[in-house]
Amino acid sequence: MTSDHDLLWRRCAHLGRVLLPVVDEEAWRQARRHEHLEAWGINIVEGERLIEVFAALAAHAVAFDTSVSAAELDVLPLSVVADAATGKRDFELLAGLPDTFADGRDELAVKVFRLYTCRGGQYSRRLFQLSTELRRALVALAERSPIPSPTCGHVFFWAAAAGPSSDYGDQTS
């Protein structure tokens, strides 16, 4: 049986996976993000995967800090996740993570994030750049939304409405 803590991480990881495809419904956003990553010397595939895990870590940190359960993640405002992405220190985003991960991709991405956090220097700069890019994505969704103060649940809804393309499949169980 999956604990609520593990389920919370899975929901946060799912948010990270669907975020960029939802943002990229405006195709120019992906092109701009790729330009930024290239200008910073970050491989596009690696950078986008780190943005995904950054989103998951930011959402998880806020949910963990405020005792939000996996079932309640849908009500977490995107603005709060955006604030955590740039307002929390890198090591703070790692607090409260599960000991093991059901998805090997998540485990590897978190290990890379941890390594970047520990190494400092240019790696800390990269994490700062990626946090800025994540914040841009979350703010873009909030500004695009016809709903005031959109939530993580809205992102899940928009991803489901867009169809099964990309990595939109629900990974909540």
Side-chain angles (χ1 to χ4, degrees):
M1 179 163 224
T2 304
S3 73
D4 190 61
H5 191 133
D6 292 334
L7 190 54
L8 174 61
W9 169 255
R10 288 183 188 185
R11 297 270 298 149
C12 292
H14 180 61
L15 175 71
R17 281 192 282 280
V18 300
L19 180 67
L20 293 181
V22 170
V23 169
D24 292 348
E25 287 178 10
E26 295 174 301
W28 64 271
R29 292 199 183 274
Q30 181 184 52
R32 187 190 314 160
R33 183 175 60 253
H34 289 181
E35 288 173 12
H36 290 159
L37 292 172
E38 287 176 346
W40 296 330
I42 301 172
N43 174 283
I44 290 171
V45 173
E46 178 184 343
E48 289 189 339
R49 181 63 184 126
L50 283 170
I51 291 169
E52 288 177 10
V53 79
F54 217 126
L57 289 168
H60 186 271
V62 172
F64 188 75
D65 289 350
T66 58
S67 300
V68 169
S69 71
E72 298 166 324
L73 183 67
D74 287 359
V75 301
L76 200 66
L78 291 183
S79 61
V80 174
V81 178
D83 290 346
T86 55
K88 286 191 173 282
R89 304 213 13 166
D90 302 336
F91 65 86
E92 291 177 303
L93 297 174
L94 295 167
L97 289 178
D99 294 329
T100 59
F101 297 88
D103 185 329
R105 262 181 20 147
D106 292 342
E107 184 173 10
L108 179 61
V110 168
K111 284 180 178 179
V112 169
F113 189 94
R114 278 188 179 125
L115 180 63
Y116 275 34
T117 299
C118 293
R119 293 202 61 191
Q122 75 178 22
Y123 297 97
S124 288
R125 183 174 43 83
R126 282 188 177 172
L127 288 178
F128 173 76
Q129 291 163 327
L130 293 170
S131 73
T132 302
E133 199 62 36
L134 170 58
R135 183 175 182 82
R136 264 191 214 113
L138 292 166
V139 168
L141 286 180
E143 289 174 349
R144 180 192 314 162
S145 174
I147 301 151
S149 299
T151 65
C152 294
H154 291 108
V155 176
F156 293 135
F157 175 78
W158 296 327
S165 65
S166 207
D167 197 354
Y168 285 177
D170 188 19
Q171 308 244 334
T172 59
S173 56

